[in-house]
Amino acid sequence: MATSTRTPDTRTLSGILIGLVVLGIALLVANVPSSPLRSANLDLFAIFALPLVISLVAYVRFAESVVWWEIVLLAVWGVLSIALTTFVAFLATMGTPGGYPGAGAELLRNIALFLAATLGLSIPYGLAGKFRPEHPRRTVVSALLAAISLFVLFTIVAIGV
């Protein structure tokens, strides 16, 4: 049987969540053109990796107890969801007219993509953590729906912005 541990103080985890969201937006702002921090890797980290970390912290925040293999399973599911969403969003935006929209439009698009990825994963993972003790089926459905919500929100932002 897997060991279960008590989660830390929820106020601390809420502060970490807020701090990570602010960090993500700050990294995107620091990554504007002509910035010495300009890097494609930083952009990819802020738009894809940081929302996954935020969603896992949201799961831990709302779960009463945590089992390590559940977090690993959710992380793998999140990585697969992000990879599939990125691929399909790339295919969906291939036919759109190109051209550089400008630094301001690029920054707004990147922040919108970051928030879409964060909300698309964090809300279902948070609900999975909340439902975990009393409703295991809702927990599984909520975690599985993370891929769909991420796909819908990310694609809407990628096409619309």
Side-chain angles (χ1 to χ4, degrees):
M1 179 121 185
T3 59
S4 174
T5 59
R6 195 81 179 126
T7 58
D9 182 27
T10 57
R11 289 188 337 184
T12 302
L13 288 173
S14 296
I16 291 171
L17 282 173
I18 292 169
L20 287 172
V21 170
V22 170
L23 174 67
I25 293 172
L27 287 174
L28 291 171
V29 169
N31 199 28
V32 295
S34 75
S35 169
L37 296 176
R38 180 81 173 164
S39 167
N41 292 338
L42 184 63
D43 205 25
L44 292 174
F45 172 77
I47 293 176
F48 297 115
L50 200 54
L52 180 59
V53 171
I54 292 169
S55 65
L56 293 173
V57 172
Y59 175 78
V60 171
R61 158 60 176 95
F62 289 105
E64 289 182 14
S65 61
V66 177
V67 181
W68 68 269
W69 63 266
E70 289 176 347
I71 295 174
V72 170
L73 189 63
L74 286 173
V76 169
W77 181 246
V79 167
L80 292 174
S81 299
I82 288 171
L84 178 67
T85 298
T86 305
F87 178 71
V88 173
F90 169 74
L91 292 177
T93 59
M94 278 180 53
T96 58
Y100 182 66
E106 180 185 2
L107 176 62
L108 288 177
R109 184 196 74 219
N110 287 346
I111 290 174
L113 288 173
F114 168 74
L115 292 176
T118 301
L119 292 175
L121 284 176
S122 296
I123 292 173
Y125 280 14
L127 289 173
K130 187 75 171 165
F131 291 143
R132 185 179 175 275
E134 298 97 22
H135 308 287
R137 288 185 185 145
R138 288 184 190 174
T139 300
V140 172
V141 169
S142 179
L144 291 176
L145 288 177
I148 295 170
S149 66
L150 173 67
F151 173 75
V152 169
L153 290 173
F154 196 84
T155 306
I156 287 172
V157 171
I159 292 173
V161 174

